[in-house]
Amino acid sequence: MKHPFPIRTAVLFTIVCLLVLVSFLLWAEPIDEWIKETIGRTAANKRMVAFLLFAVLSSDIFLPIPSCLVSMMCGLYLGFGAGTFVSFAAMSVSAAVGYLIGLYASDWARKLIGEGDMQALQAIQAKGGAFVLLGLRGVPILAEVSLVFAGLGRYPLRKTIAQVAVGNGLISGFYAWIGAYSREAFDSPVPAFLMTIAASALFLFIGRLRVRNARR
């Protein structure tokens, strides 16, 4: 059964993305400075640093946190192994909260966008969901919004966990490695960020190919 394009869902998605973008434009820089200053003062206390980095990164779903920078700080202050673990755990908590927000708001969203749009959203997720959450884990704004909409559409929990866990593991390990072993890349993280975006595009492309092959 073909569903019409979910216009109201697209409008809702755009509004949520814009709200997140505005929060980044308004508060990302002062939050970034606060993180650097606070972590710098407690650098000698590894447990406190680990707690602060975990707390900051796990709040990424609510606040405009520069997650790639914080993950690199995990590697810089805690080392590669512990830094990867803290980053992965925090990103997983943030992802779980985002999914649960969408899940608990699903009935409200159904009333807002209508039954037809909700069915269309679920159909899109069912056909193109493979590798989507994984591919978007490293993309600012879309990483958080995609999880909320996965919950809104009640995307299967097992698939959500699998994709998010792989994505978080790769991203956490990559940025923690940079923080632990590459000071030059830490000071200029743009190339690393672009590599993450390229990897995201690759995962999305693989997911698209799998969908096409499944239809044959």
Side-chain angles (χ1 to χ4, degrees):
M1 177 181 178
K2 290 186 177 181
H3 298 274
F5 182 78
I7 296 177
R8 281 179 286 185
T9 303
V11 171
L12 178 61
F13 185 86
T14 302
I15 291 173
V16 175
C17 287
L18 288 175
L19 289 174
V20 176
L21 177 60
V22 169
S23 71
F24 265 92
L25 294 176
L26 292 177
W27 299 304
E29 186 174 347
I31 288 178
D32 182 14
E33 293 300 322
W34 178 84
I35 292 171
K36 291 179 179 178
E37 181 181 348
T38 302
I39 299 300
R41 289 201 307 263
T42 59
N45 189 335
K46 297 296 184 182
R47 291 185 178 181
M48 180 59 69
V49 169
F51 171 78
L52 289 173
L53 290 172
F54 175 85
V56 168
L57 195 53
S58 61
S59 65
D60 183 39
I61 195 67
F62 298 113
L63 301 174
I65 302 298
S67 56
C68 61
L69 174 65
V70 178
S71 292
M72 284 190 282
M73 293 177 72
C74 287
L76 177 66
Y77 290 103
L78 304 175
F80 173 68
T84 299
F85 175 80
V86 170
S87 175
F88 174 81
M91 290 181 66
S92 297
V93 169
S94 177
V97 172
Y99 181 84
L100 289 174
I101 289 174
L103 187 64
Y104 284 108
S106 181
D107 292 337
W108 170 83
R110 188 182 298 272
K111 295 177 182 178
L112 180 66
I113 64 179
E115 184 65 30
D117 264 39
M118 179 59 76
Q119 291 182 1
L121 171 63
Q122 292 173 337
I124 292 172
Q125 290 178 338
K127 292 179 181 178
F131 284 82
V132 171
L133 291 176
L134 169 59
L136 294 178
R137 290 313 296 147
V139 182
I141 299 177
L142 294 182
E144 295 82 15
V145 177
S146 63
L147 277 163
V148 174
F149 272 77
L152 287 178
R154 298 183 183 274
Y155 189 69
L157 180 59
R158 288 185 179 181
K159 291 183 179 180
T160 301
I161 292 174
Q163 293 183 39
V164 171
V166 173
N168 286 350
L170 292 173
I171 292 172
S172 297
F174 177 62
Y175 283 124
W177 178 85
I178 290 175
Y181 301 115
S182 180
R183 180 69 196 189
E184 181 178 349
F186 181 87
D187 292 334
S188 181
V190 174
F193 175 73
L194 293 178
M195 288 178 62
T196 304
I197 297 298
S200 297
L202 176 61
F203 286 128
L204 291 174
F205 177 71
I206 293 173
R208 182 66 177 172
L209 288 180
R210 290 192 62 178
V211 171
R212 285 184 178 180
N213 293 333
R215 291 175 179 173
R216 295 177 180 176

